[in-house]
Amino acid sequence: MRYRFTAPVAWLAGLMFMGPLSAPSLSQSRPRPAQPGFNLFTVQQDVDMGRQSALEVEKQLPMLNDPATNLYLNRIIQRLAAVAPGAKYPYRIKAVNDSTINAFALPGGPMYVNRGLLDAARNEAELAGVLAHEMSHVALRHGTNQASKAYVTRSGISILGGLFGKQGGSSSQILSALGGAGLNAVFLKFSRDDEYQADATGAEIMAKAGYDPNAKANFFQTRRTR
């Protein structure tokens, strides 16, 4: 997602999941963790399509191709992935040589972060906060949830049997039916509810991984006031 420097209301709301930041009474029930929504794809199809989409992304973006930077980023990712909910996706991350402050993730685990975000983060916790948010989109399967809804809207539920029947369609067939490489635009178009869920789940991941879950909110608040 492209990050805008607005008040981080959703992220701060997400921190309410964390417990130590608020002291709920015994009568209050703990909010239920976010759950993946409607989805026509299997977890393995998420992985397969993410890999195919990553090939297209890396042809189009100016990759930084710095082994030390990518090693550092993947160390953070593995720390977050160890406590992330949902399927155990093969998360990995690469840096993009772009000065804008941005990061995004594709279904199944491929993640990307711009050099601009690396330069802007004041510490590892702030960087981890953004990455935990993007990882949450993968864990909650938001990309293929959006693709599923787009497919049904465009093609109608009646023709799904041939593509998603008992035998299942290959990832290549599904990508072709949904628009090929251009499907990345669908994978990365999240609803406001998706963003709220990613904020809340990202805060939980951060806390479980040993990072201060306030760090992401602090990062965007500081950038907004500069």
Side-chain angles (χ1 to χ4, degrees):
M1 64 180 291
R2 180 62 59 84
Y3 290 92
R4 299 185 178 90
F5 302 121
T6 56
V9 176
W11 179 255
L12 292 174
L15 297 182
M16 297 301 291
F17 282 79
M18 299 316 303
L21 299 179
S22 60
S25 68
L26 294 177
S27 62
Q28 291 177 311
S29 61
R30 188 176 182 82
R32 293 182 62 186
Q35 298 294 323
F38 166 71
N39 209 305
L40 295 170
F41 301 92
T42 67
V43 167
Q44 185 58 51
Q45 286 170 332
D46 279 22
V47 173
D48 293 343
M49 288 189 293
R51 286 173 177 163
Q52 292 183 53
S53 296
L55 293 176
E56 297 300 324
V57 164
E58 292 174 27
K59 291 177 184 177
Q60 298 173 24
L61 296 181
M63 305 307 295
L64 190 61
N65 293 321
D66 180 70
T69 299
N70 287 334
L71 182 64
Y72 170 65
L73 289 170
N74 277 285
R75 181 178 63 79
I76 298 174
I77 288 300
Q78 294 310 310
R79 180 173 170 180
L80 298 173
V83 295
K88 295 302 179 184
Y89 290 110
Y91 292 101
R92 63 173 180 79
I93 188 168
K94 294 183 179 180
V96 179
N97 192 14
D98 188 316
S99 62
T100 58
I101 297 176
N102 196 28
F104 66 95
L106 297 170
M111 299 176 64
Y112 298 89
V113 59
N114 283 3
R115 172 175 52 81
L117 179 55
L118 298 177
D119 292 340
R122 295 170 298 178
N123 53 59
E124 183 171 305
E126 290 186 346
L127 175 59
V130 176
L131 300 183
H133 175 99
E134 298 303 328
M135 181 176 288
S136 296
H137 283 307
V138 178
L140 296 171
R141 309 188 69 205
H142 286 157
T144 47
N145 168 258
Q146 292 298 326
S148 297
K149 291 187 288 188
Y151 187 83
V152 171
T153 298
R154 189 175 68 188
S155 303
I157 197 70
S158 63
I159 69 170
L160 292 180
L163 192 60
F164 298 97
K166 292 183 179 179
Q167 300 303 316
S170 72
S171 297
S172 296
Q173 289 174 320
I174 295 169
L175 278 172
S176 177
L178 289 169
L183 184 60
N184 283 344
V186 177
F187 284 154
L188 301 175
K189 186 178 181 180
F190 301 127
S191 69
R192 181 172 296 183
D193 284 345
D194 289 344
E195 296 296 350
Y196 274 105
Q197 287 184 353
D199 279 338
T201 302
E204 291 185 321
I205 291 172
M206 286 189 74
K208 290 177 180 178
Y211 291 110
D212 178 4
N214 291 286
K216 179 173 179 278
N218 292 340
F219 171 63
F220 286 107
Q221 186 64 37
T222 300
R223 296 292 302 178
R224 179 171 173 265
T225 56
R226 284 182 181 176

